[in-house]
Amino acid sequence: MTTAPIPADDFVGYLRTYTADGFASAQSLEDVWDRYHVPDATHVVNRKQLDRDATLKNLSQWRADQTPYELWIHEAVVDGTRAAARYTISKPLVMQVRHNTEVVIFADLADDGRVASTVTTARSTYGWGSSDTETWDSDAASAGTPTGAPADPAAYLTTFAELANDPSVPLEEAFDRFHTPDSVQYINGTSMQRPAVLQSLAGARDKGPDYTLDVHAALAQGNRFAARYSMVPSENGRRAGEMEVFTFGEFADDGRVRLLRSVMQTRSGYWPT
């Protein structure tokens, strides 16, 4: 049995050992689950709430497939009793084709350091070769503190959204106030730089305010941050579906955002492109 790190002390280590223990057929799944989670832990996956029994059933299906896997942890942010991470579980199929399960998880941690609740979004895709994004295992979470002065991600998200929807504020001014000139944003894997972001914001502004932001969680660790929020259709805007957004980012030394990686999920659990 692998050494069991306490999630609150080493969230990246918890992800690694929990995944390894979950796939190890020699261990009881009930013991594996209870080692890392409090008995009454609540879990939401793709907007559906799962109890302990349902979660164990899913784990047993994963365990039944004995295909070797790789765990790619792309980033993690820990802020007190809250943690967030983005990772991929990848399995080889034939030739260089792989089955990838992309996961974003936001967790609350109990007093004893175990996981008390999680909100997760996940999707399965097919790809080639190895991880296509940088992995930060060496300095993520409690394995190392990211450099840079922490800023307030919730204030950034809400204030920028307000200014972007305010027709009296030039979009270039609103964008440049909160983002570095070379900032890059990824939405469900699609990258956009300043010109494309401004074009998208201009199109949204022409249609009128569609959404208000409801921030559910905002974490900061050094210059990195993570946030989970909903884009709720406004009463006066055009009809649109609610989106839940899971985002990770980096602040530059001047406090502006230089990188965003966001997953947007519809109410049905779909990741739109």
Side-chain angles (χ1 to χ4, degrees), residues 66-80:
Q66 292 299 303
T67 305
Y69 74 93
E70 293 181 25
L71 175 62
W72 303 327
I73 299 177
H74 307 299
E75 50 199 320
V77 178
V78 178
D79 184 353

Side-chain angles (χ1 to χ4, degrees), residues 48-126:
K48 296 180 180 179
Q49 186 158 333
L50 301 180
D51 58 16
R52 181 176 180 273
D53 291 340
T55 304
L56 290 173
K57 181 179 179 181
N58 287 343
L59 287 174
S60 67
Q61 293 172 346
W62 275 88
R63 177 177 283 188
D65 179 5
Q66 292 299 303
T67 305
Y69 74 93
E70 293 181 25
L71 175 62
W72 303 327
I73 299 177
H74 307 299
E75 50 199 320
V77 178
V78 178
D79 184 353
T81 59
R82 300 172 300 173
R86 187 174 63 86
Y87 62 93
T88 300
I89 297 176
S90 180
K91 294 184 176 185
L93 295 178
V94 294
M95 303 295 287
Q96 293 294 313
V97 179
R98 307 186 70 93
H99 178 267
N100 299 323
T101 301
E102 304 171 55
V103 182
V104 181
I105 182 172
F106 278 69
D108 290 317
L109 306 172
D111 292 339
D112 64 3
R114 290 186 293 173
V115 174
S117 65
T118 61
V119 177
T120 302
T121 181
R123 70 170 178 176
S124 293
T125 60
Y126 294 93

Side-chain angles (χ1 to χ4, degrees), residues 94-225:
V94 294
M95 303 295 287
Q96 293 294 313
V97 179
R98 307 186 70 93
H99 178 267
N100 299 323
T101 301
E102 304 171 55
V103 182
V104 181
I105 182 172
F106 278 69
D108 290 317
L109 306 172
D111 292 339
D112 64 3
R114 290 186 293 173
V115 174
S117 65
T118 61
V119 177
T120 302
T121 181
R123 70 170 178 176
S124 293
T125 60
Y126 294 93
W128 293 83
S130 59
S131 172
D132 61 353
T133 58
E134 179 182 13
T135 58
W136 292 345
D137 299 52
S138 61
D139 62 349
S142 55
T145 302
T147 59
D152 185 349
Y156 151 66
L157 290 168
T158 55
T159 307
F160 175 59
E162 291 171 359
L163 293 180
N165 285 326
D166 186 346
S168 68
V169 178
L171 282 174
E172 293 82 356
E173 178 183 323
F175 182 86
D176 293 339
R177 175 178 171 182
F178 291 97
H179 305 87
T180 62
D182 60 347
S183 64
V184 181
Q185 299 185 23
Y186 295 85
I187 299 178
N188 290 356
T190 300
S191 65
M192 293 194 301
Q193 294 181 304
R194 184 179 185 273
V197 175
L198 289 175
Q199 182 178 6
S200 177
L201 292 173
R205 181 179 281 188
D206 289 342
K207 296 174 183 176
D210 293 330
Y211 296 96
T212 57
L213 260 60
D214 184 6
V215 179
H216 307 299
L219 297 69
Q221 184 186 16
N223 66 329
R224 295 186 196 151
F225 66 91

Side-chain angles (χ1 to χ4, degrees), residues 123 187-190 243-244 263-266 269-273:
R123 70 170 178 176
I187 299 178
N188 290 356
T190 300
M243 291 278 188
E244 189 165 16
V263 169
M264 299 181 67
Q265 182 181 48
T266 66
Y270 175 65
W271 292 19
T273 56

